[in-house]
């Protein structure tokens, strides 16, 4: 549990998310290249890179010797791949996640959930910045958030969850519009007082 708390704290850092997004090249980037792409000072990036490697958010994909120094190349490609595989493994028709699957994939699950939530927060902040820069421009927001607490029987909970998954699965199939764009949904549910 302590490792999960450390991971959550690490992924709450905006630098970490910027590094993950910048370092998606499977061949990796040097710290200097990551610093250039993220705007983080090179001298402030090394500690964060080490922590990210320790928590499997980045991996060193190769190293090169330049004079007497080792140049490391960091990549987040496997993290992104794991997140995509996690999403595909769940699919749109999975209603329950077995305790065995969770036990075997806990770190990857936590990484995927926190990374997805951080992307939502980043989108929220970007929308706010756009509004502050141009308050007179009223655009339709593609961002929404909802949180509810329901009192349901086990059967009603299972039925509601299945209906939500089915609705999401059918939305794309039933869309006849031509102006399509990608949108993300994150549906989470958990029992109260457990």
């Amino acid at each position: 549990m302590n490792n999960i708390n450390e991971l959550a704290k690490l992924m709450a850092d905006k630098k970490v998310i910027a590094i993950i997004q910048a370092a998606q090249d499977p061949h990796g980037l040097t710290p200097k290249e990551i610093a250039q792409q993220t705007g983080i000072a090179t001298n402030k990036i090394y500690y964060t890179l080490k922590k990210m490697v320790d928590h499997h958010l980045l991996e060193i994909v190769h190293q090169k010797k330049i004079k007497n120094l080792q140049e490391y190349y960091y990549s987040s490609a496997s993290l992104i791949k794991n997140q995509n595989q996690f999403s595909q493994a769940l699919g749109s028709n999975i209603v329950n996640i077995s305790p065995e699957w969770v036990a075997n994939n806990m770190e990857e699950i936590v990484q995927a959930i926190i990374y997805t939530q951080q992307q939502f927060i980043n989108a929220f902040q970007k929308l706010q910045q756009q509004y502050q820069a141009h308050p007179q421009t009223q655009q339709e927001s593609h961002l929404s958030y909802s949180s509810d607490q329901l009192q349901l029987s086990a059967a009603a909970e299972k039925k509601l969850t299945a209906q939500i998954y089915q609705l999401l699965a059918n939305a794309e199939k039933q869309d006849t519009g031509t102006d399509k764009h990608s949108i993300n949904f994150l549906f989470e549910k958990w029992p109260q007082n457990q």
Side-chain angles (χ1 to χ4, degrees), residues 119-145:
Q119 289 177 312
F120 172 80
I121 292 168
N122 289 346
F124 182 79
Q125 290 172 329
K126 185 176 180 181
L127 181 69
Q128 182 62 24
Q129 289 167 354
Q130 289 171 346
Y131 175 76
Q132 287 177 339
H134 307 285
Q136 70 282 3
T137 306
Q138 293 294 324
Q139 296 179 342
E140 179 184 348
S141 175
H142 294 283
L143 193 72
S144 63
Y145 174 83

Side-chain angles (χ1 to χ4, degrees), residues 146-163:
S146 176
S147 176
D148 287 305
Q149 185 180 65
L150 305 174
Q151 298 292 320
L152 298 174
S153 66
E157 175 189 351
K158 186 173 182 177
K159 181 178 178 183
L160 175 63
T161 303
Q163 289 172 336

Side-chain angles (χ1 to χ4, degrees), residues 10-41:
L10 183 64
M11 290 192 73
D13 185 345
K14 289 181 183 182
K15 292 188 308 253
V16 170
I17 300 303
I19 291 168
I20 289 171
Q21 292 172 342
Q24 292 184 33
D25 184 338
H27 301 295
L29 299 174
T30 66
K32 184 177 180 181
E33 291 169 329
I34 294 171
Q36 288 171 342
Q37 287 195 24
T38 60
I40 301 168

Side-chain angles (χ1 to χ4, degrees), residues 4-174:
I4 291 172
N5 292 337
E6 289 176 23
L7 177 64
K9 183 178 177 183
L10 183 64
M11 290 192 73
D13 185 345
K14 289 181 183 182
K15 292 188 308 253
V16 170
I17 300 303
I19 291 168
I20 289 171
Q21 292 172 342
Q24 292 184 33
D25 184 338
H27 301 295
L29 299 174
T30 66
K32 184 177 180 181
E33 291 169 329
I34 294 171
Q36 288 171 342
Q37 287 195 24
T38 60
I40 301 168
T42 306
N43 63 341
K44 294 185 178 186
I45 212 165
Y46 289 99
Y47 177 77
T48 304
L49 292 176
K50 182 186 178 333
K51 294 294 278 182
M52 291 176 73
V53 169
D54 290 346
H55 284 87
H56 310 290
L57 300 174
L58 285 178
E59 63 181 344
I60 299 171
V61 291
H62 71 276
Q63 56 190 29
K64 195 186 291 185
K65 190 167 186 166
I66 301 174
K67 297 183 182 177
N68 292 333
L69 300 173
Q70 288 288 337
E71 181 88 277
Y72 294 99
Y73 289 75
Y74 299 87
S75 175
S76 63
S78 65
L79 171 70
I80 302 302
K81 181 180 175 188
N82 287 345
Q83 182 188 7
N84 292 338
Q85 288 174 341
F86 169 73
S87 297
Q88 290 169 359
L90 292 180
S92 59
N93 56 8
I94 301 275
V95 175
N96 293 309
I97 301 172
S98 74
E100 296 83 10
W101 192 83
V102 170
N104 293 329
N105 298 282
M106 180 59 91
E107 188 171 348
E108 292 85 359
I109 293 168
V110 172
Q111 287 174 347
I113 290 170
I114 294 173
Y115 182 66
T116 302
Q117 290 177 330
Q118 193 63 35
Q119 289 177 312
F120 172 80
I121 292 168
N122 289 346
F124 182 79
Q125 290 172 329
K126 185 176 180 181
L127 181 69
Q128 182 62 24
Q129 289 167 354
Q130 289 171 346
Y131 175 76
Q132 287 177 339
H134 307 285
Q136 70 282 3
T137 306
Q138 293 294 324
Q139 296 179 342
E140 179 184 348
S141 175
H142 294 283
L143 193 72
S144 63
Y145 174 83
S146 176
S147 176
D148 287 305
Q149 185 180 65
L150 305 174
Q151 298 292 320
L152 298 174
S153 66
E157 175 189 351
K158 186 173 182 177
K159 181 178 178 183
L160 175 63
T161 303
Q163 289 172 336
I164 291 169
Y165 283 133
Q166 193 61 52
L167 183 64
L168 291 172
N170 290 338
E172 195 170 30
K173 294 174 191 170
Q174 297 171 354

